[in-house]
Amino acid sequence: MEGGRAEGARAPALFRRANREFEEREEDDGENSSSTEDIPPEHLGLKTSEETVPPKPKVRVLGEDLAMSSIHVPEREGPSSSMAAEVATAVKDMKRFMGEFNVDLATVTQAFLKNSGEVAAVANCLQTGQRSDGYPLWNRQDDVVLLKGQEGDRNNLETKYGVENVSKRVGFRTS
């Protein structure tokens, strides 16, 4: 995987908003904090290729529903142009996954959130319902523990997710 491509899939502002919605949705659903390693994709809220995609996927931006195809990221000069390029790459990846796995925008967004924005991990998650490295998908409860920053709790998370994955998650959640 190219270094720039992994960074481009992060789109910080897009994922910050999606993280908030992810957390609110899990609070509403009362999601259990148990491991999702052995749960089939359909029980994770991930759709299989047999299910249909809505004709025009929509994303909510500042209270307004927009068709995914109508999103255009303007090219700019200066410091914000790199962020615009990251957002454009993320939108491109999300559209590709929606078509490739025949899932909706919410499913793709959830997969990105549960895999710290890593494109390869998202692809595997959408295909199998789990991470390719054998670690569990991130959940809201572990994010809360991680962001509290207590050393003992971090050690437990490193045992559960791996040291490298915890470091990546910290970067993902604070970006």
Side-chain angles (χ1 to χ4, degrees):
M1 178 185 317
E2 300 171 22
R5 182 146 175 88
E7 295 242 342
R10 291 178 148 222
L14 176 69
F15 286 116
R16 259 195 308 275
R17 176 176 293 273
N19 270 333
R20 283 193 299 272
E21 291 177 12
F22 170 67
E23 290 169 358
E24 290 169 2
R25 180 172 287 156
E26 284 196 353
E27 284 175 2
D28 293 342
D29 294 344
E31 182 170 295
N32 189 333
S33 64
S34 64
S35 173
T36 57
E37 293 175 333
D38 300 322
I39 301 173
E42 59 272 11
H43 294 291
L44 290 171
L46 304 176
K47 297 186 181 189
T48 62
S49 59
E50 291 86 33
E51 295 179 277
T52 60
V53 175
K56 291 185 180 178
K58 293 186 177 187
V59 63
R60 182 166 285 277
V61 177
L62 300 175
E64 182 179 337
D65 286 330
L66 299 173
M68 190 71 170
S69 60
S70 70
I71 296 175
H72 174 71
V73 179
E75 298 289 331
R76 295 184 192 164
E77 296 298 321
S80 63
S81 66
S82 65
M83 184 177 211
E86 288 179 11
V87 171
T89 300
V91 169
K92 182 179 171 184
D93 287 336
M94 294 175 94
K95 285 180 181 179
R96 179 174 55 90
F97 286 142
M98 289 169 64
E100 184 177 332
F101 295 102
N102 200 21
V103 295
D104 63 10
L105 178 61
T107 301
V108 173
T109 303
Q110 288 292 315
F112 269 96
L113 291 172
K114 291 179 179 186
N115 289 282
S116 302
E118 296 176 44
V119 175
V122 170
N124 191 72
C125 177
L126 290 170
Q127 185 173 21
T128 67
Q130 54 191 351
R131 290 181 56 97
S132 60
D133 61 8
Y135 289 105
L137 299 171
W138 279 93
N139 62 55
R140 182 187 180 293
Q141 291 80 12
D142 287 341
D143 276 342
V144 169
V145 169
L146 179 66
L147 295 176
K148 284 181 183 176
Q150 296 177 359
E151 190 63 33
D153 291 336
R154 184 178 175 120
N155 291 338
N156 292 337
L157 293 174
E158 288 174 349
T159 300
K160 182 176 181 178
Y161 294 104
V163 174
E164 185 178 343
N165 287 332
V166 170
S167 294
K168 287 179 184 178
R169 190 64 174 187
V170 168
F172 176 73
R173 288 302 311 245
T174 57
S175 67

